[in-house]
Amino acid sequence: MSDNDSDSDSSFATSPTFWKERLSNPKAAMDEYVTMYSSCFLPATSLYIYGSGPRVAAKQRVTRQCEERLAQRETRLVRAGAVRKQVDDMLEYALRLETGTHVLFDPDAALRLFKKVLDGPYPNETRAIAAMCSCYCLKRAMAIAVELFDPLEAFTFLNRGCELGL
């Protein structure tokens, strides 16, 4: 491998504090929440982006849905539900942790919660969401440290999501 090759590999990685810095901005955190919600929580057949109307209108609809989700429950109540192992609250709290929305950004805690749901006694549809969220977390972490990315782990999450009915 030439020196240029190693330089190009490092160009894929960002600062280790990139996500923390980015998500300290509430608007950026909300954008990440909307992106992760639409990528992992909505059914692939929901046509949330590819449906009728322009993409901007579709994104605005999803953004409104997310704003309503956040307004419905205070983070402290969601966290309390997650501690009591209420699965919807576990997913919601992990989503907030992963995106830094209404809570401090903590991707490690988010991934742990998603894995608890994935391995827990919950409906397959719910566990499939957790599998996709886990893979999403790994994908984002890869931007910081590509050498730490484990493609087998990512594939395992994707495979489990498919097995669970995605």
mmCIF file of all heavy atoms in Angstrom, residues 88-106:
data_model
loop_
_atom_site.group_PDB
_atom_site.id
_atom_site.type_symbol
_atom_site.label_atom_id
_atom_site.label_comp_id
_atom_site.label_asym_id
_atom_site.label_seq_id
_atom_site.Cartn_x
_atom_site.Cartn_y
_atom_site.Cartn_z
ATOM 1 N N ASP A 88 -41.187 0.090 23.921
ATOM 2 C CA ASP A 88 -41.308 1.297 23.099
ATOM 3 C C ASP A 88 -40.456 2.426 23.667
ATOM 4 O O ASP A 88 -39.838 3.182 22.913
ATOM 5 C CB ASP A 88 -42.764 1.735 22.970
ATOM 6 C CG ASP A 88 -43.588 0.761 22.130
ATOM 7 O OD1 ASP A 88 -42.986 0.026 21.315
ATOM 8 O OD2 ASP A 88 -44.819 0.726 22.295
ATOM 9 N N ASP A 89 -40.423 2.524 24.980
ATOM 10 C CA ASP A 89 -39.598 3.548 25.614
ATOM 11 C C ASP A 89 -38.110 3.225 25.470
ATOM 12 O O ASP A 89 -37.287 4.131 25.331
ATOM 13 C CB ASP A 89 -39.964 3.701 27.091
ATOM 14 C CG ASP A 89 -41.312 4.384 27.289
ATOM 15 O OD1 ASP A 89 -41.758 5.104 26.370
ATOM 16 O OD2 ASP A 89 -41.916 4.190 28.351
ATOM 17 N N MET A 90 -37.763 1.952 25.498
ATOM 18 C CA MET A 90 -36.354 1.568 25.295
ATOM 19 C C MET A 90 -35.891 2.014 23.909
ATOM 20 O O MET A 90 -34.815 2.597 23.759
ATOM 21 C CB MET A 90 -36.182 0.051 25.452
ATOM 22 C CG MET A 90 -36.390 -0.442 26.871
ATOM 23 S SD MET A 90 -36.452 -2.252 26.985
ATOM 24 C CE MET A 90 -34.713 -2.654 26.793
ATOM 25 N N LEU A 91 -36.712 1.745 22.887
ATOM 26 C CA LEU A 91 -36.356 2.162 21.529
ATOM 27 C C LEU A 91 -36.294 3.678 21.405
ATOM 28 O O LEU A 91 -35.371 4.230 20.810
ATOM 29 C CB LEU A 91 -37.351 1.585 20.516
ATOM 30 C CG LEU A 91 -37.276 0.092 20.266
ATOM 31 C CD1 LEU A 91 -38.442 -0.353 19.398
ATOM 32 C CD2 LEU A 91 -35.953 -0.289 19.629
ATOM 33 N N GLU A 92 -37.293 4.343 21.969
ATOM 34 C CA GLU A 92 -37.334 5.811 21.859
ATOM 35 C C GLU A 92 -36.161 6.447 22.591
ATOM 36 O O GLU A 92 -35.529 7.383 22.079
ATOM 37 C CB GLU A 92 -38.661 6.338 22.410
ATOM 38 C CG GLU A 92 -38.796 7.850 22.368
ATOM 39 C CD GLU A 92 -38.797 8.433 20.968
ATOM 40 O OE1 GLU A 92 -39.209 7.749 20.007
ATOM 41 O OE2 GLU A 92 -38.383 9.607 20.822
ATOM 42 N N TYR A 93 -35.867 5.966 23.780
ATOM 43 C CA TYR A 93 -34.759 6.548 24.539
ATOM 44 C C TYR A 93 -33.433 6.295 23.824
ATOM 45 O O TYR A 93 -32.579 7.182 23.727
ATOM 46 C CB TYR A 93 -34.730 6.008 25.967
ATOM 47 C CG TYR A 93 -33.770 6.748 26.866
ATOM 48 C CD1 TYR A 93 -33.878 8.128 27.048
ATOM 49 C CD2 TYR A 93 -32.744 6.081 27.518
ATOM 50 C CE1 TYR A 93 -32.990 8.815 27.854
ATOM 51 C CE2 TYR A 93 -31.858 6.759 28.337
ATOM 52 C CZ TYR A 93 -31.989 8.130 28.500
ATOM 53 O OH TYR A 93 -31.096 8.808 29.308
ATOM 54 N N ALA A 94 -33.258 5.103 23.291
ATOM 55 C CA ALA A 94 -32.030 4.797 22.545
ATOM 56 C C ALA A 94 -31.920 5.689 21.307
ATOM 57 O O ALA A 94 -30.828 6.174 20.987
ATOM 58 C CB ALA A 94 -32.003 3.323 22.156
ATOM 59 N N LEU A 95 -33.028 5.927 20.625
ATOM 60 C CA LEU A 95 -33.026 6.820 19.465
ATOM 61 C C LEU A 95 -32.599 8.225 19.877
ATOM 62 O O LEU A 95 -31.783 8.862 19.209
ATOM 63 C CB LEU A 95 -34.412 6.844 18.824
ATOM 64 C CG LEU A 95 -34.649 7.798 17.659
ATOM 65 C CD1 LEU A 95 -33.719 7.497 16.497
ATOM 66 C CD2 LEU A 95 -36.103 7.727 17.208
ATOM 67 N N ARG A 96 -33.111 8.690 20.997
ATOM 68 C CA ARG A 96 -32.729 10.024 21.489
ATOM 69 C C ARG A 96 -31.251 10.050 21.881
ATOM 70 O O ARG A 96 -30.553 11.025 21.598
ATOM 71 C CB ARG A 96 -33.620 10.428 22.663
ATOM 72 C CG ARG A 96 -35.064 10.670 22.248
ATOM 73 C CD ARG A 96 -35.934 11.090 23.404
ATOM 74 N NE ARG A 96 -37.339 11.108 23.016
ATOM 75 C CZ ARG A 96 -38.294 11.743 23.679
ATOM 76 N NH1 ARG A 96 -38.001 12.416 24.781
ATOM 77 N NH2 ARG A 96 -39.543 11.696 23.259
ATOM 78 N N LEU A 97 -30.776 8.992 22.514
ATOM 79 C CA LEU A 97 -29.363 8.939 22.893
ATOM 80 C C LEU A 97 -28.457 8.926 21.664
ATOM 81 O O LEU A 97 -27.431 9.607 21.626
ATOM 82 C CB LEU A 97 -29.080 7.686 23.730
ATOM 83 C CG LEU A 97 -29.602 7.679 25.158
ATOM 84 C CD1 LEU A 97 -29.527 6.273 25.744
ATOM 85 C CD2 LEU A 97 -28.838 8.668 26.020
ATOM 86 N N GLU A 98 -28.811 8.150 20.667
ATOM 87 C CA GLU A 98 -27.990 8.023 19.461
ATOM 88 C C GLU A 98 -27.928 9.325 18.669
ATOM 89 O O GLU A 98 -26.945 9.600 18.001
ATOM 90 C CB GLU A 98 -28.512 6.886 18.575
ATOM 91 C CG GLU A 98 -27.767 6.701 17.276
ATOM 92 C CD GLU A 98 -26.296 6.332 17.419
ATOM 93 O OE1 GLU A 98 -25.900 5.746 18.437
ATOM 94 O OE2 GLU A 98 -25.520 6.626 16.485
ATOM 95 N N THR A 99 -28.993 10.124 18.747
ATOM 96 C CA THR A 99 -29.042 11.353 17.952
ATOM 97 C C THR A 99 -28.794 12.609 18.778
ATOM 98 O O THR A 99 -28.673 13.690 18.217
ATOM 99 C CB THR A 99 -30.399 11.481 17.242
ATOM 100 O OG1 THR A 99 -31.443 11.548 18.223
ATOM 101 C CG2 THR A 99 -30.632 10.313 16.295
ATOM 102 N N GLY A 100 -28.735 12.473 20.097
ATOM 103 C CA GLY A 100 -28.540 13.643 20.939
ATOM 104 C C GLY A 100 -29.752 14.555 20.969
ATOM 105 O O GLY A 100 -29.634 15.751 21.198
ATOM 106 N N THR A 101 -30.926 14.005 20.744
ATOM 107 C CA THR A 101 -32.160 14.787 20.704
ATOM 108 C C THR A 101 -32.811 14.801 22.083
ATOM 109 O O THR A 101 -33.247 13.760 22.578
ATOM 110 C CB THR A 101 -33.134 14.210 19.665
ATOM 111 O OG1 THR A 101 -32.464 14.132 18.410
ATOM 112 C CG2 THR A 101 -34.361 15.088 19.514
ATOM 113 N N HIS A 102 -32.838 15.968 22.688
ATOM 114 C CA HIS A 102 -33.431 16.202 24.019
ATOM 115 C C HIS A 102 -32.706 15.461 25.134
ATOM 116 O O HIS A 102 -33.253 15.285 26.216
ATOM 117 C CB HIS A 102 -34.914 15.844 24.034
ATOM 118 C CG HIS A 102 -35.752 16.693 23.139
ATOM 119 N ND1 HIS A 102 -37.104 16.785 23.275
ATOM 120 C CD2 HIS A 102 -35.450 17.519 22.091
ATOM 121 C CE1 HIS A 102 -37.593 17.592 22.357
ATOM 122 N NE2 HIS A 102 -36.596 18.047 21.628
ATOM 123 N N VAL A 103 -31.487 15.002 24.852
ATOM 124 C CA VAL A 103 -30.680 14.289 25.837
ATOM 125 C C VAL A 103 -29.227 14.368 25.364
ATOM 126 O O VAL A 103 -28.972 14.628 24.193
ATOM 127 C CB VAL A 103 -31.172 12.817 25.964
ATOM 128 C CG1 VAL A 103 -30.907 12.030 24.712
ATOM 129 C CG2 VAL A 103 -30.609 12.126 27.170
ATOM 130 N N LEU A 104 -28.295 14.152 26.278
ATOM 131 C CA LEU A 104 -26.892 14.153 25.866
ATOM 132 C C LEU A 104 -26.605 12.988 24.928
ATOM 133 O O LEU A 104 -27.061 11.868 25.149
ATOM 134 C CB LEU A 104 -25.973 14.061 27.084
ATOM 135 C CG LEU A 104 -25.896 15.293 27.972
ATOM 136 C CD1 LEU A 104 -25.020 15.013 29.198
ATOM 137 C CD2 LEU A 104 -25.362 16.486 27.199
ATOM 138 N N PHE A 105 -25.844 13.251 23.904
ATOM 139 C CA PHE A 105 -25.443 12.251 22.914
ATOM 140 C C PHE A 105 -24.633 11.159 23.602
ATOM 141 O O PHE A 105 -23.626 11.427 24.251
ATOM 142 C CB PHE A 105 -24.616 12.963 21.834
ATOM 143 C CG PHE A 105 -23.974 12.069 20.832
ATOM 144 C CD1 PHE A 105 -24.740 11.302 19.962
ATOM 145 C CD2 PHE A 105 -22.605 12.016 20.716
ATOM 146 C CE1 PHE A 105 -24.145 10.492 19.016
ATOM 147 C CE2 PHE A 105 -21.991 11.215 19.772
ATOM 148 C CZ PHE A 105 -22.768 10.452 18.917
ATOM 149 N N ASP A 106 -25.085 9.919 23.489
ATOM 150 C CA ASP A 106 -24.376 8.783 24.089
ATOM 151 C C ASP A 106 -24.583 7.547 23.216
ATOM 152 O O ASP A 106 -25.458 6.705 23.482
ATOM 153 C CB ASP A 106 -24.867 8.535 25.510
ATOM 154 C CG ASP A 106 -24.008 7.527 26.260
ATOM 155 O OD1 ASP A 106 -23.225 6.794 25.620
ATOM 156 O OD2 ASP A 106 -24.141 7.465 27.501
#
